[in-house]
Amino acid sequence: MTSLERNLILVHGLWDDPRIFNRLLGYLEKSNLCVYTPHLPHKGGSIPLQKLAFLLEELINKRFGADKVVDLLGFSMGGLVSRVWLQELGGALRTNSFISVGTPHRGTVMAECIPSWWLPGVADMKRGSDLLRDLSRDVHKLQAVKCSSYFCRWDLMTFPGWQATLPIGANFSVPVLTHKDLISHPKSLKIISHAIFSQ
């Protein structure tokens, strides 16, 4: 790795795996980015997000060590796992930028009917969940990180889509129609890859 290279971590969401980023990776080729796409086995939402964040911490340290500065992109639930790592596990102290894409920062109606005893990882995304309240209370821990949020107004997974924004940093509406389009449609990938390069 040269001194000009940046370490970029892409964190996938629920019912996804690192392959969800394959199209985005095509836009990041021939750049100065050292890209890492860790696999977080969520087991259909049965793993609490804090537990996934501890696994993310372990994988990041194994790949980059405990001190190297990183940039972070979280898609969907992966954005919340990323926030737990940033805010509760000290990840913000070594992170230059955090880009969230279609992340239910204020919860999603789609999780409301899921009991925590059944799928705690999904229940963590309920509007007003204990986890989301904790993250909202400690959002000041992100102040030194360059934060930005990208969302789709018609997103039916992170619903309502226009609330899929961090309470800090810039927010951008992406002109696509679905949740998955946010990480697969050329319009969105051009916007997101430009955001990555500009950090």
Side-chain angles (χ1 to χ4, degrees):
M1 181 184 300
T2 71
S3 60
L4 296 177
E5 285 183 325
R6 293 165 51 206
N7 304 310
L8 173 65
I9 302 163
L10 306 179
V11 184
H12 68 82
L14 183 63
W15 302 312
D16 291 324
D17 60 41
R19 290 174 294 182
I20 194 72
F21 297 116
N22 283 352
R23 291 186 181 181
L24 176 60
L25 291 174
Y27 283 75
L28 304 180
E29 289 179 346
K30 299 180 181 179
S31 70
N32 67 331
L33 295 169
C34 176
V35 183
Y36 178 43
T37 56
H39 180 225
L40 302 178
H42 45 69
K43 296 184 179 179
S46 63
I47 306 299
L49 301 195
Q50 287 176 316
K51 186 171 182 179
L52 292 176
F54 276 103
L55 176 57
L56 179 63
E57 161 88 350
E58 179 182 332
L59 294 173
I60 290 174
N61 288 344
K62 184 176 180 180
R63 176 66 179 265
F64 297 115
D67 301 314
K68 285 187 179 178
V69 174
V70 299
D71 293 283
L72 191 62
L73 181 148
F75 171 61
S76 193
M77 186 187 77
L80 289 179
V81 175
S82 298
R83 278 188 70 183
V84 175
W85 178 72
L86 289 164
Q87 295 178 225
E88 297 185 359
L89 303 182
L93 299 176
R94 59 181 293 189
T95 300
N96 171 55
S97 67
F98 172 43
I99 297 172
S100 74
V101 181
T103 296
H105 293 293
R106 305 184 202 185
T108 173
V109 172
M110 297 301 291
E112 292 302 313
C113 63
I114 304 299
S116 58
W117 58 264
W118 181 34
L119 296 174
V122 177
D124 279 338
M125 295 185 284
K126 290 183 180 182
R127 297 166 67 83
S129 72
D130 290 343
L131 176 67
L132 294 185
R133 285 200 300 268
D134 289 345
L135 292 177
S136 180
R137 184 184 63 246
D138 296 334
V139 72
H140 63 277
K141 294 180 180 180
L142 295 177
Q143 288 179 342
V145 180
K146 300 174 187 174
C147 294
S148 55
S149 307
Y150 294 81
F151 67 96
C152 164
R153 291 186 180 275
W154 304 275
D155 194 331
L156 296 180
M157 290 298 293
T158 301
F159 184 82
W162 53 271
Q163 287 196 350
T165 57
L166 283 161
I168 188 171
N171 302 318
F172 303 95
S173 175
V174 181
V176 294
L177 294 176
T178 71
H179 186 67
K180 192 168 184 179
D181 279 348
L182 282 167
I183 205 64
S184 62
H185 195 287
K187 286 183 181 179
S188 183
L189 295 179
K190 287 178 183 178
I191 291 169
I192 291 170
S193 60
H194 176 76
I196 292 170
F197 292 136
S198 65
Q199 299 300 321

